[in-house]
Amino acid sequence: MTDRSSGAYPAGSILLSLFLLYLAPFTDARLPYIAFLVCLYRVIRYDAAVFGTDYCVLAAVSLLFQTPGSTSLLAYLCIFAVIWQFLRGSFRADASFLMLMLLLDYLLLRTGGGVNRFVLCFSQLALLRLFLPGQAGAAAVRTSRLFCLSLLASSVYAWVFRGTPQLLLLQGAEVAAYQGSSATRFQGLFQDPNYYMALLAVGIALTIRLFANRQIGGAELAVAAGCLSVFGFLTYSKTFLVVFLALLLLFVLSQLLAGRTALGLGTAVCAALGLAVAAACPDTPVSVVLYRLFSASGLNELTTGRAELFTAYLEAILARPSTLLIGVGLSGEALSLDPHNLFLELTYYLGVIGLALFLLYLALLMHGMGCWGGGVQHRQPAPVRYLVLLTAAALFCTLSGMFSATTYVMLFLGIAAAAMPERPERRLGDASGPST
């Protein structure tokens, strides 16, 4: 029997799944199978809004959600959810759905022998279309809050058990902050600290968006953003420092423009003092990241080899008109490394036609969610309204991942946050608290 209601979030069974996943590395590697069955039940039992939240919550523990043979059960869960939702037919065949079908045809034409890549890519694209509409209104707030909470919980878990044989078996050894450094990059429950860093940055942007929409208070913002920032700096990522400073600057400016001078200036002063102290002390994450930035001898070292990699991919894309237009196809081989840039990656595999279809699809999804107007109150400035999506887009300039669920989780959260409703200002005598 299927429950199509969109009432309170049924937390009991998803908490059971998370408990089993956290327990699995230290007890029985077969526990993820039970968690998978529980999540399958939730897909069948509840509506699209519930799975949309589950999808983001589980993204923070995706490393634990796999079989002993390292097969991602989260990927299979997403594929099942897409098929189930499609069979239920509880969606409209609007412009974004038609664009999804066009993307399906295009990807099929460019699949070649890359069937696994096709399934991973298209299932995530379809998931956006089938489950994002369920994130209208309060569901977007709930998903954003629970994603941040899940990411924080997984980070604490990974920190507590950091370096244990069980986690090392799953994620591999941590890499040095820079060549010759004894400091290693914390990577949470991920195999790559850069993807972990990206989700942390998106989490910080989400907390700012929630605060701007009056969905959380100042204390909750300070605690959540502060904890996420600490874990972010522990990744020793130069990109994280740049994104963090950009988010901090935007938050301060938005508060000053909104007339909250004390909050804006107070945040700026506290952050500046904290960063100055951390930079002055030796071997802190901030001082190490600054050393990485200012000791670079050239652009390629500053970008950790990305500059040469970008040039190599651009040359490969421009080598032939066919590659520029339609790419090398999903079965094509990467160059020495992945592009480390989502836009280059899409162009390399699918050409400018595929990139254009991908971006147009996202634009139509946002239109259907009311992100451009209509269904959403747009009293917030555009940089705040689209803050999460802009943060993700900036991160995509240094990360590839058209075949990775992490990329689509960031897009899912970015679009949902852009459609997030603004909570009315409290009137005198109104005792209601922030919406959950």
Side-chain angles (χ1 to χ4, degrees):
M1 181 176 177
T2 302
D3 184 357
R4 296 176 181 267
S5 66
S6 55
Y9 181 66
S13 50
I14 193 65
L15 288 175
L16 172 61
S17 296
L18 291 172
F19 175 74
L20 293 173
L21 293 175
Y22 282 129
L23 201 61
F26 300 95
T27 55
D28 192 330
R30 294 168 295 184
L31 288 180
Y33 289 116
I34 302 176
F36 178 73
L37 293 176
V38 173
C39 291
L40 280 183
Y41 163 78
R42 289 175 64 83
V43 171
I44 297 170
R45 178 71 173 83
Y46 301 113
D47 61 13
V50 170
F51 180 75
T53 303
D54 289 356
Y55 172 63
C56 296
V57 167
L58 291 169
V61 294
S62 58
L63 183 71
L64 305 179
F65 204 3
Q66 59 185 17
T67 67
S70 298
T71 301
S72 173
L73 292 175
L74 181 58
Y76 286 115
L77 180 66
C78 291
I79 293 169
F80 177 84
V82 165
I83 295 172
W84 179 258
Q85 190 70 5
F86 182 80
L87 292 176
R88 285 173 60 171
S90 53
F91 56 87
R92 294 183 299 111
D94 56 9
S96 60
F97 183 79
L98 295 177
M99 179 55 66
L100 177 64
M101 293 299 99
L102 181 59
L103 268 171
L104 169 62
D105 293 337
Y106 186 77
L107 289 173
L108 284 172
L109 288 173
R110 303 302 300 140
T111 295
V115 177
N116 288 340
R117 287 180 169 181
F118 165 79
V119 172
L120 288 171
C121 185
F122 180 74
S123 64
Q124 294 295 322
L125 288 170
L127 188 148
L128 294 178
R129 171 59 189 82
L130 296 174
F131 292 95
L132 262 175
Q135 296 301 303
V141 178
R142 177 188 71 202
T143 298
S144 300
R145 291 169 66 105
L146 292 182
F147 167 76
C148 292
L149 183 60
S150 180
L151 186 59
L152 279 172
S154 69
S155 298
V156 171
Y157 174 91
W159 176 260
V160 170
F161 296 107
R162 187 181 188 183
T164 58
Q166 292 83 356
L167 284 192
L168 287 175
L169 183 64
L170 290 171
Q171 61 187 184
E174 294 179 356
V175 297
Y178 58 89
Q179 190 173 4
S181 172
S182 60
T184 56
R185 302 182 64 187
F186 181 58
Q187 54 200 55
L189 288 181
F190 290 82
Q191 294 177 327
D192 188 328
N194 291 318
Y195 289 97
Y196 172 57
M197 169 276 297
L199 286 180
L200 290 169
V202 166
I204 296 170
L206 277 172
T207 62
I208 295 174
R209 177 73 174 134
L210 286 165
F211 177 77
N213 279 22
R214 304 186 188 91
Q215 301 291 351
I216 61 174
E220 196 172 354
L221 168 68
V223 171
C227 292
L228 290 169
S229 299
V230 168
F231 285 119
F233 281 112
L234 288 173
T235 65
Y236 295 97
S237 169
K238 293 175 287 187
T239 301
F240 180 82
L241 176 61
V242 173
V243 172
F244 172 82
L245 292 175
L247 290 172
L248 178 63
L249 177 62
L250 188 143
F251 176 75
V252 170
L253 290 176
S254 67
Q255 297 310 300
L256 294 177
L257 291 174
R260 304 185 188 95
T261 307
L263 178 59
L265 291 180
T267 302
V269 170
C270 291
L273 287 174
L275 289 172
V277 171
C281 296
D283 299 326
T284 64
V286 175
S287 63
V288 171
V289 172
L290 290 175
Y291 172 78
R292 292 186 67 199
L293 280 170
F294 294 109
S295 65
S297 58
L299 180 61
N300 195 55
E301 186 177 347
L302 179 65
T303 59
T304 323
R306 286 179 174 84
E308 288 185 356
L309 194 60
F310 292 169
T311 301
Y313 271 95
L314 280 172
E315 290 176 351
I317 290 168
L318 298 173
R320 291 194 296 260
S322 61
T323 306
L324 176 63
L325 288 175
I326 60 175
V328 298
L330 298 182
S331 61
E333 293 292 333
L335 302 183
S336 57
L337 292 170
D338 289 331
H340 283 68
N341 181 300
L342 179 64
F343 308 103
L344 272 180
E345 184 181 28
L346 285 164
T347 307
Y348 177 72
Y349 287 108
L350 300 176
V352 293
I353 294 176
L355 175 64
L357 291 175
F358 185 90
L359 296 177
L360 181 57
Y361 175 59
L362 296 181
L364 290 173
L365 281 175
M366 294 183 69
H367 175 73
M369 292 285 291
C371 298
W372 308 125
V376 180
Q377 294 178 330
H378 287 330
R379 284 181 284 180
Q380 295 293 336
V384 176
R385 191 188 323 150
Y386 304 120
L387 180 61
V388 182
L389 203 57
L390 290 172
T391 302
L395 292 164
F396 291 152
C397 292
T398 64
L399 291 174
S400 51
M402 62 181 288
F403 309 114
S404 170
T406 303
T407 297
Y408 300 94
V409 169
M410 293 166 66
L411 290 172
F412 189 98
L413 290 166
I415 296 174
M420 186 185 296
E422 182 177 346
R423 191 165 179 265
E425 292 189 50
R426 292 177 61 180
R427 297 184 296 272
L428 187 63
D430 182 8
S432 61
S435 171
T436 57

